[in-house]
Amino acid sequence: MSRSSELRELSNEDLEHRLAERRQELFNLRFQSVTGALENTARLKLAKREIARILTVVHEREAEAAKAGK
């Protein structure tokens, strides 16, 4: 689990890579949940939070870029 401050230090490419990894993890966890193979259901919540943190940092950067471009 990454903190927002740690995510802000990463480059845009690293953030995109982590986002893709977390989305794949979430897909796998949902699949396991449906098939009954998921033992730790809290992992679903953690994966969703991680995705939200990454998207927040990405959107902050996009807003800063838009503001600087005006």
Side-chain angles (χ1 to χ4, degrees):
M1 173 87 72
S2 299
R3 293 179 165 239
S4 296
S5 59
E6 294 171 1
L7 292 173
R8 285 187 179 92
E9 295 173 1
L10 298 175
S11 68
N12 289 339
E13 295 155 359
D14 290 337
L15 283 175
E16 291 297 326
H17 181 67
R18 279 208 183 180
L19 182 60
E21 285 178 348
R22 292 301 161 256
R23 284 185 170 160
Q24 182 64 42
E25 179 186 6
L26 182 59
F27 173 81
N28 292 336
L29 290 171
R30 285 181 176 158
F31 188 79
Q32 290 175 10
S33 177
V34 169
T35 60
L38 184 63
E39 294 178 9
N40 185 0
T41 56
R43 295 276 300 140
L44 282 167
K45 187 176 182 180
L46 294 176
K48 289 179 187 179
R49 282 186 179 180
E50 183 77 15
I51 290 170
R53 282 189 183 104
I54 293 170
L55 288 175
T56 299
V57 172
V58 169
H59 290 142
E60 285 174 352
R61 289 183 182 181
E62 289 173 354
E64 288 174 12
K67 185 177 178 182
K70 287 186 177 180

